[in-house]
Amino acid sequence: MKRSLDPSQPGPSDSDDVAAKKRATVTREPTVTRVGSVLEQGKIYFTPIGGISVPRQESEGSLSLEDILADIRPTQALHLSFMIDFQYLLNSYPPSLRTTPMTFVVGASDKAALSRECAAHKNVTVIGAPLPIPFGTHHTKMSIMESEDGRVHVIVSTANLVPDDWEFKTQQFYYACGLKRDGEAQRCPFQSDLLEYLSFYRNLLTPWRELIQSTDFSSITDRLIFSTPGYHTHVARLNFGHPRLARILTEKFPFDPSYEHTERCTFISQCSSIGSIGKQPIDWFRGQFLKSLEGANPAPKSKPAKMYLIFPCVEDVRTSCQGYAGGGSVPYRNSVHVRQKWLQGVMCKWRSNAKRRTHAVPHCKTYVKFDKKVPQWQLVTSANLSKAAWGEASFSKAKKTDQLMVRSYEMGVLITDPTRFNIPFDYPCVPYSDTDNPFTVDTKHEIPDILGCVWNI
């Protein structure tokens, strides 16, 4: 079942863009000039609807995987992902660059299958990332590429390297680049973040760490928010997941004793999968996650922060351009939902009329703080709403210390410059009605088997 996007829906508002620029409190980062390039430093892009398999539909201001690779023209590439369709990725490269050295990183359990798929291509290296904790995934979606002009390009994406993700879903990616120098470049926070993350692959990615060390990313003020699997203790537990986000938000937005809370601030979580987050909101959703989102400026008890979750309801999926098949990218187990029915009380429908993407199922993951109805920061990430992705804090009696347990690898980018926000959903949000239900999967009658879908996160 396929449907076309409705061309009658309103497009992006110019007045909104102007208002956002007037609200800016920081200077826009300088664009790194590249002759003939369409990619802009520090920008968040949408992916198109349509591509190699089907004609493109309304996709204003978007770039495809083909567009990215044709623009960068990589001399070597590192692709980290949860799912990789090798033939699709290879076909996305310009024909003259399909023998470019490529390194793929997937979860350890997926290494063998991908290696067989790539066996005939000597330019391809496949690495399996260790997953030490059960039910963890290698969920990061990031590419690092070097080009002939001496630049190193970083793509942080919400899309797996499979055609369904790049051609039918609402996806976003962030672009940044730096200039390669002789020897080590002067460290900046973005570069340090990237090196720190790559270090958790140990010696598997040493050449790429060395390349990042010699690249000047000093024009970038955005920060990387990531997770790696493990039981992180002591100070190290603040370097991953939601505690990392809290720490960096505290650096970006220090405590302001003069600020007056005239109204409640609002946090929006928008994701494509939901994990088991507790029988009550205080267990994790508000007790841990919301506290981290508030950073150094928690709301007073008299005006507690509001927190909503945007997740497609059944009708959103049914009327999508793929019909019920689009639900393959928004998995939420009914067996999990029945244990946390309270969550439905903060759920909102997927609406993206301003971006003309209401009928493209969202696989992007976006977290935003609104204060007095004005967005303060935007996080684009691979991390869905789950403890596996963001980590669960607890006290270890055996180790006699606080710890953060994380199951999965995740990667996202935090942007605090309002002129570069590109929020995919409409605001104010549209709450579920009494008759709406989230799109869930019945574990006894699997929808994927009926539709022939491949479920991805």
Side-chain angles (χ1 to χ4, degrees):
M1 183 184 298
K2 296 183 180 179
R3 295 173 174 81
S4 298
L5 296 181
D6 184 357
S8 66
Q9 292 185 12
S13 168
D14 293 336
S15 60
D16 288 346
D17 293 340
V18 172
K21 291 176 182 177
K22 288 182 179 178
R23 292 193 299 264
T25 57
V26 294
T27 303
R28 183 184 174 102
E29 294 170 6
T31 299
V32 176
T33 303
R34 292 171 55 229
V35 177
S37 173
V38 296
L39 289 162
E40 295 182 26
Q41 181 80 305
K43 185 172 180 177
I44 303 170
Y45 291 89
F46 282 102
T47 61
I49 306 302
I52 291 177
S53 303
V54 297
R56 286 197 192 181
Q57 301 176 46
E58 175 60 54
S59 302
E60 184 178 348
S62 64
L63 292 174
S64 68
L65 186 56
E66 282 184 297
D67 295 331
I68 295 169
L69 295 169
D71 187 87
I72 293 173
R73 299 192 61 81
T75 55
Q76 62 170 334
L78 170 66
H79 298 294
L80 304 94
S81 191
F82 173 60
M83 298 172 64
I84 297 178
D85 181 326
F86 173 65
Q87 199 58 53
Y88 168 73
L89 177 57
L90 189 67
N91 290 343
S92 297
Y93 272 79
S96 62
L97 299 178
R98 291 175 185 172
T99 56
T100 294
M102 304 177 196
T103 300
F104 300 153
V105 182
V106 292
S109 59
D110 296 317
K111 177 184 175 182
L114 184 57
S115 295
R116 288 193 296 270
E117 193 177 349
C118 306
H121 299 265
K122 303 305 179 185
N123 58 311
V124 175
T125 301
V126 180
I127 293 173
L131 294 166
I133 303 179
F135 308 111
T137 61
H138 184 263
H139 203 236
T140 291
K141 300 162 178 65
M142 178 173 67
S143 295
I144 303 174
M145 294 170 275
E146 185 179 9
S147 57
E148 291 179 349
D149 60 2
R151 298 188 187 276
V152 176
H153 311 260
V154 180
I155 302 287
V156 177
S157 176
T158 65
N160 292 289
L161 294 170
V162 298
D164 188 72
D165 273 24
W166 283 85
E167 296 186 9
F168 295 106
K169 303 296 188 291
T170 296
Q171 305 274 16
Q172 291 189 304
F173 70 88
Y174 165 89
Y175 171 78
C177 77
L179 187 62
K180 189 176 177 182
R181 306 291 189 188
D182 293 330
E184 285 200 15
Q186 184 176 354
R187 286 288 180 92
C188 69
F190 182 88
Q191 181 192 33
S192 295
D193 292 344
L194 194 51
L195 286 170
E196 183 183 1
Y197 176 76
L198 294 178
S199 71
F200 293 100
Y201 295 90
R202 296 182 170 83
N203 61 350
L204 297 174
L205 297 178
T206 298
W208 289 96
R209 289 181 62 199
E210 293 173 347
L211 177 62
I212 298 301
Q213 285 173 340
S214 63
T215 303
D216 180 4
F217 290 105
S218 59
S219 67
I220 304 171
T221 60
D222 305 315
R223 298 297 301 273
L224 298 177
I225 307 298
F226 55 76
S227 296
T228 64
Y231 291 88
H232 307 294
T233 59
H234 304 292
V235 177
R237 75 184 190 283
L238 304 178
N239 295 334
F240 309 95
H242 69 81
R244 179 181 183 85
L245 177 58
R247 177 169 62 80
I248 293 178
L249 284 173
T250 297
E251 295 172 10
K252 294 278 190 177
F253 302 94
F255 176 66
D256 182 2
S258 64
Y259 178 80
E260 293 186 20
H261 288 267
T262 56
E263 56 185 271
R264 296 166 65 185
C265 63
T266 301
F267 293 90
I268 305 294
S269 299
Q270 176 270 309
C271 64
S272 64
S273 179
I274 306 170
S276 179
I277 57 178
K279 293 182 179 180
Q280 299 297 330
I282 195 63
D283 292 343
W284 183 85
F285 186 67
R286 298 188 70 93
Q288 291 190 28
F289 191 55
L290 177 58
K291 286 184 178 179
S292 287
L293 296 184
E294 290 183 310
N297 294 281
K301 291 183 179 180
S302 60
K303 291 185 174 67
K306 295 179 286 186
M307 190 170 178
Y308 297 105
L309 170 62
I310 296 177
F311 189 81
C313 65
V314 174
E315 187 67 6
D316 293 340
V317 173
R318 187 187 71 81
T319 58
S320 72
C321 58
Q322 289 183 288
Y324 282 119
S329 292
V330 285
Y332 182 27
R333 297 280 185 185
N334 186 60
S335 58
V336 173
H337 182 58
V338 295
R339 298 197 302 268
Q340 52 194 37
K341 277 294 189 74
W342 59 266
L343 187 59
Q344 189 161 341
V346 299
M347 282 183 164
C348 298
K349 301 177 184 182
W350 167 249
R351 292 293 181 271
S352 184
N353 292 330
K355 305 294 184 180
R356 295 177 177 168
R357 289 175 177 271
T358 293
H359 296 299
V361 168
H363 189 261
C364 50
K365 294 90 172 151
T366 313
Y367 300 82
V368 183
K369 177 184 179 181
F370 290 88
D371 193 2
K372 298 180 176 65
K373 299 182 176 60
V374 177
Q376 304 298 306
W377 51 260
Q378 178 181 2
L379 175 67
V380 178
T381 179
S382 65
N384 284 302
L385 190 67
S386 72
K387 298 175 185 177
W390 286 103
E392 181 178 17
S394 64
F395 181 80
S396 171
K397 292 182 180 179
K399 299 175 184 176
K400 297 180 180 179
T401 185
D402 292 326
Q403 68 179 13
L404 183 77
M405 191 274 281
V406 182
R407 297 182 187 273
S408 300
Y409 296 85
E410 305 284 357
M411 175 58 74
V413 61
L414 175 69
I415 297 175
T416 55
D417 173 3
T419 66
R420 293 186 289 113
F421 294 166
N422 191 2
I423 298 170
F425 51 81
D426 293 341
Y427 185 80
C429 302
V430 180
Y432 279 25
S433 69
D434 293 339
T435 58
D436 287 319
N437 289 292
F439 186 82
T440 58
V441 186
D442 186 335
T443 55
K444 293 182 180 179
H445 304 91
E446 294 287 352
I447 292 178
D449 293 340
I450 297 171
L451 296 176
C453 299
V454 175
W455 287 75
N456 72 67
I457 52 177

